[in-house]
Amino acid sequence: MAHHRKRLAAWLLAGLVLVTVITLYQAQQTGRGEPAAAPCPQGAPDCPGPGSTGPPPTPAPSPDPSPGETASSTSAPPSATPPPGSSGPPTPSPGCPSPGACGFPDESTTGPRGGLERHDTGDMSVKTDGTVIKGWDIRGSLDVYANDVTVIDSRITSTNWWGINLRPGFSGLKVLHTTITAIPGKGPDNGGVNYAVSNMGGSSIEVGWCDISVFGNALSMGQGDLHDNYVHDIVAFRNKTGEWQHTDAVISGGGNKGRLTVRHNTLLNPVRVDQGATAAVGLFADTGVVSSVVVERNWLAGGAYSLYGGGPGATGIKVTDNVFSTEYHATAGAYGTATAWNAGGAGNVWSGNRMADGRAVPPPASP
């Protein structure tokens, strides 16, 4: 009997030791948890509410945007300073006061980068393939009947219908870091001028880092790569029939076989609607169906509508991450931000577009 009492006491003692060890282990593990939270400032947006027993839930991270898409609006606002090697930032943070202050092109980032030599060329034709015009201050216009012509770090002051015109059958034109302007009242169209750069050729051209003003339809083409340009101070004029000339910073008449890319430009149309203002970007089906156009990360202002999206039948139109500014009209354009949008068109995308104050711009109703 005494033997059994000793064994029972031993088992009880062992059980007590085991409970003590488990209790100490749990206390040790608890001590390794989160430190006590610091007092939460009154009114802080992430403070737990009354009765909460823990920190606020951590939101799930937004998925990384795939090519051609932007992160959701819950992401941190991007910096207004372009990263090295970038042609500019994504959509700026809300409250953007002006294009230049928010990383978009202006007079400080466009035009020639060095000294100029004056050339009174008049209305000159270029007929030699591979011609490079650099550092010229041209008083006249360039009519290009050649392939792979480059105009760079120059200035063109034209009183012709155009500043630079690429003729049908030719390709490879590049216009870079160049100022293209005209003299109001001195153009051939009843004192007006029509096209700063016109692409009548059958392939893409490149226009980049250019300062463009005065011309009624500044950049006119169905295909091309238009990037980092500053289009401003378009001048209204009546044409020879007495009608106000329609004005657009970028205009395309449709029917193009290649792609038109309009990326990271400042496109301003300050002309009054009753004097012919149409758009900052006008995609019109004048000569055929509009297709394969990218309008991305531009600062857009002015026009009847700031953007015409191609109209019925338009396909492959991607309008993403553009900023619509109210510097001329409360809705960017006199009648609204955008119109002529074919929401059901194959490959058409409207995403990430907003006003300069950060308000989202939904896609316009389809015509």
Side-chain angles (χ1 to χ4, degrees):
M1 193 66 160
H3 176 71
H4 287 296
R5 282 198 297 270
K6 289 181 180 178
R7 290 184 62 186
L8 179 61
W11 280 108
L12 288 175
L13 180 60
L16 180 61
V17 170
L18 179 61
V19 169
T20 302
V21 169
I22 291 173
T23 301
L24 291 174
Y25 176 81
Q26 288 177 335
Q28 184 181 27
Q29 291 301 104
T30 302
R32 290 177 180 172
E34 293 289 335
C40 194
Q42 185 175 5
D46 291 333
C47 283
S52 173
T53 58
T58 302
S62 301
D64 291 334
S66 59
E69 296 179 340
T70 55
S72 70
S73 59
T74 58
S75 301
S79 169
T81 303
S86 171
S87 63
T91 307
S93 59
C96 218
S98 67
C102 298
F104 288 88
D106 63 8
E107 65 278 359
S108 70
T109 58
T110 57
R113 297 166 294 181
L116 301 175
E117 179 183 352
R118 179 161 173 167
H119 290 259
D120 293 311
T121 64
D123 300 330
M124 183 176 79
S125 295
V126 180
K127 297 185 176 181
T128 302
D129 289 353
T131 297
V132 175
I133 295 174
K134 183 175 182 179
W136 285 25
D137 182 359
I138 297 171
R139 307 304 168 95
S141 64
L142 299 177
D143 203 3
V144 180
Y145 295 83
N147 298 311
D148 303 319
V149 172
T150 298
V151 181
I152 186 168
D153 289 318
S154 295
R155 177 183 175 90
I156 295 173
T157 305
S158 172
T159 54
N160 198 1
W161 298 92
W162 56 77
I164 302 175
N165 181 42
L166 180 65
R167 289 289 179 168
F170 299 96
S171 63
L173 175 65
K174 293 185 178 183
V175 185
L176 309 173
H177 297 285
T178 292
T179 294
I180 307 171
T181 190
I183 302 173
K186 298 293 185 181
D189 196 0
N190 199 32
V193 288
N194 294 75
Y195 312 111
V197 182
S198 171
N199 180 11
M200 299 173 66
S203 67
S204 181
I205 71 174
E206 181 183 3
V207 183
W209 303 286
C210 289
D211 183 325
I212 298 168
S213 60
V214 181
F215 289 89
N217 289 300
L219 296 170
S220 175
M221 62 196 69
Q223 53 197 344
D225 181 10
L226 312 179
H227 63 88
D228 301 286
N229 300 294
Y230 175 44
V231 180
H232 60 101
D233 294 310
I234 293 172
V235 175
F237 66 93
R238 294 182 187 271
N239 60 22
K240 288 186 176 181
T241 64
E243 299 172 333
W244 287 106
Q245 170 70 27
H246 289 286
T247 61
D248 304 86
V250 173
I251 185 170
S252 174
N256 53 296
K257 293 181 172 57
R259 179 179 294 277
L260 174 62
T261 300
V262 184
R263 179 177 287 122
H264 195 246
N265 304 277
T266 298
L267 303 173
L268 309 179
N269 188 347
V271 175
R272 287 167 33 188
V273 173
D274 62 358
Q275 293 183 346
T278 306
V281 175
L283 307 178
F284 304 110
D286 294 335
T287 57
V289 174
V290 180
S291 63
S292 298
V293 181
V294 173
V295 181
E296 179 184 68
R297 291 193 293 118
N298 301 283
W299 179 283
L300 308 175
Y305 291 89
S306 288
L307 173 73
Y308 284 73
T315 59
I317 314 299
K318 297 182 179 181
V319 181
T320 59
D321 300 323
N322 297 284
V323 175
F324 291 85
S325 169
T326 60
E327 56 204 277
Y328 305 123
H329 308 288
T331 53
Y335 305 134
T337 53
T339 189
W341 177 249
N342 181 21
N348 291 350
V349 177
W350 181 284
S351 173
N353 301 297
R354 67 181 69 183
M355 302 299 292
D357 64 5
R359 289 174 292 147
V361 175
S366 296

